[in-house]
Amino acid sequence: IIFIVMGLLPNRHNFIKKIVFNFLLRDVEIVCISKNEKKFLENNFRQKEILYIPFGVDKEFWTPEINSSFVQKYILAIGNDNARDWDILVNAWEADFPELKIVTNLKIKTTKKNISIVKGNWGKEYLTDQQIKNFYLNSQYVIIPLKETIQPSGQSCCLQAMACGKPVIMTRISGLWDEKHLLHKKNIFLVEPNSILSLKESIMELNRDKRLYKKLSSNGRLLVEQIFNNHIMSKNIQSKIEYIINK
């Protein structure tokens, strides 16, 4: 059995859970889609070999819009996992910022007129993939605010946005899945966890800096084309299966 994990153990885990998981997974091969989670599990879970494969999105479906302009209708935030820090994003949003559209099934309280909430749940298919893609394409850029976690939270949304040619502002958490390739102000804009000021400053900078915007847009798409796509992921899954069978 090969188990592809995401958030198997939280940063602060109890000893009993670790013992139970070790027992249940004693004969299971564990594969991570985050280099940092792989290191975390090797240090805190078990000494047995843990493998890594790069997670990837469908680069033929998630594609940029032809002749898209710099100024779009709104700024997008999307996601449903509990590591999303919607409170800090809402608190950072100023009255003179563009419209913020948040697509989520989680509860958000706000009276700010330039924030709108769209009900979305991937598992329950409230929105189709094409509708989600349209949200990306009609946005100026994408923000993924996160609470501190070792889980590679925001991974799929980040890569979908990048594949659509949209710059991404995301929290620099412990679960950042590949620090070698996710580079601040080269292909992504990283902000510190639990910092309204850091998030607010990043929004203001990206709003005014067209050169940085275009750089993040083109380099983000290139990152998906070269590393984080479905073709490379499938090849890595195949090679890991062959490795496990033959070792």
Side-chain angles (χ1 to χ4, degrees):
I1 299 174
I2 298 173
F3 183 20
I4 300 178
V5 303
M6 179 178 177
L8 178 63
L9 286 181
N11 295 53
R12 297 180 180 179
H13 54 277
N14 62 61
F15 183 73
I16 295 176
K17 180 179 285 188
K18 179 179 175 180
I19 294 296
V20 171
F21 280 8
N22 255 314
F23 175 76
L24 294 175
L25 301 174
R26 63 192 183 281
D27 297 320
V28 173
E29 299 286 347
I30 293 178
V31 178
C32 292
I33 53 175
S34 162
K35 290 182 178 179
N36 280 349
E37 186 171 16
K38 176 182 182 294
K39 293 177 184 176
F40 174 80
L41 292 177
E42 287 172 341
N43 293 331
N44 296 279
F45 186 56
R46 70 182 188 191
Q47 299 300 313
K48 186 179 177 182
E49 183 180 27
I50 295 174
L51 302 174
Y52 164 77
I53 58 172
F55 179 77
V57 296
D58 185 345
K59 65 187 181 76
E60 277 78 36
F61 177 79
W62 306 101
T63 54
E65 187 176 32
I66 299 174
N67 298 324
S68 61
S69 60
F70 172 76
V71 179
Q72 299 290 340
K73 300 176 183 177
Y74 52 80
I75 295 167
L76 178 67
I78 184 170
N80 278 319
D81 73 72
N82 291 324
R84 288 294 194 279
D85 198 340
W86 294 133
D87 288 342
I88 206 165
L89 178 59
V90 169
N91 289 331
W93 212 254
E94 297 286 357
D96 60 346
F97 282 178
E99 179 190 359
L100 171 65
K101 196 180 292 291
I102 302 177
V103 180
T104 186
N105 198 39
L106 300 176
K107 292 183 179 180
I108 299 176
K109 293 182 179 180
T110 180
T111 58
K112 295 185 177 181
K113 295 181 179 180
N114 57 344
I115 298 179
S116 59
I117 314 298
V118 178
K119 191 176 183 64
N121 186 306
W122 181 83
K124 296 183 179 179
E125 296 183 341
Y126 289 161
L127 298 170
T128 65
D129 283 349
Q130 185 60 54
Q131 287 174 316
I132 294 171
K133 180 181 178 181
N134 291 339
F135 275 117
Y136 286 128
L137 294 178
N138 290 321
S139 69
Q140 183 175 339
Y141 56 85
V142 175
I143 301 178
I144 305 173
L146 301 170
K147 301 172 185 176
E148 175 54 36
T149 177
I150 192 62
Q151 173 182 331
S153 183
Q155 192 175 35
S156 58
C157 293
C158 174
L159 295 175
Q160 288 166 3
M162 285 180 167
C164 289
K166 298 300 175 178
V168 175
I169 295 175
M170 191 173 75
T171 311
R172 190 197 302 268
I173 55 170
S174 300
L176 193 68
W177 57 94
D178 193 329
E179 293 174 328
K180 178 182 176 181
H181 292 105
L182 291 167
L183 302 175
H184 178 52
K185 289 190 176 181
K186 182 175 180 181
N187 50 37
I188 192 170
F189 201 128
L190 296 171
V191 298
E192 297 310 307
N194 198 34
S195 173
I196 293 176
L197 180 61
S198 177
L199 181 56
K200 191 178 296 186
E201 288 177 344
S202 71
I203 294 165
M204 291 188 291
E205 183 173 353
L206 197 53
N207 284 347
R208 67 172 180 265
D209 193 335
K210 293 185 178 181
R211 182 177 296 180
L212 176 61
Y213 180 98
K214 292 179 180 178
K215 181 180 180 181
L216 295 181
S217 175
S218 58
N219 287 345
R221 173 65 194 182
L222 188 63
L223 187 65
V224 173
E225 289 178 349
Q226 293 181 340
I227 300 173
F228 297 115
N229 64 71
N230 52 318
H231 300 295
I232 292 176
M233 184 178 185
S234 65
K235 289 178 181 178
N236 272 271
I237 292 174
Q238 181 178 350
S239 66
K240 293 298 185 291
I241 291 172
E242 291 172 352
Y243 168 76
I244 290 168
I245 290 173
N246 295 320
K247 72 175 182 177

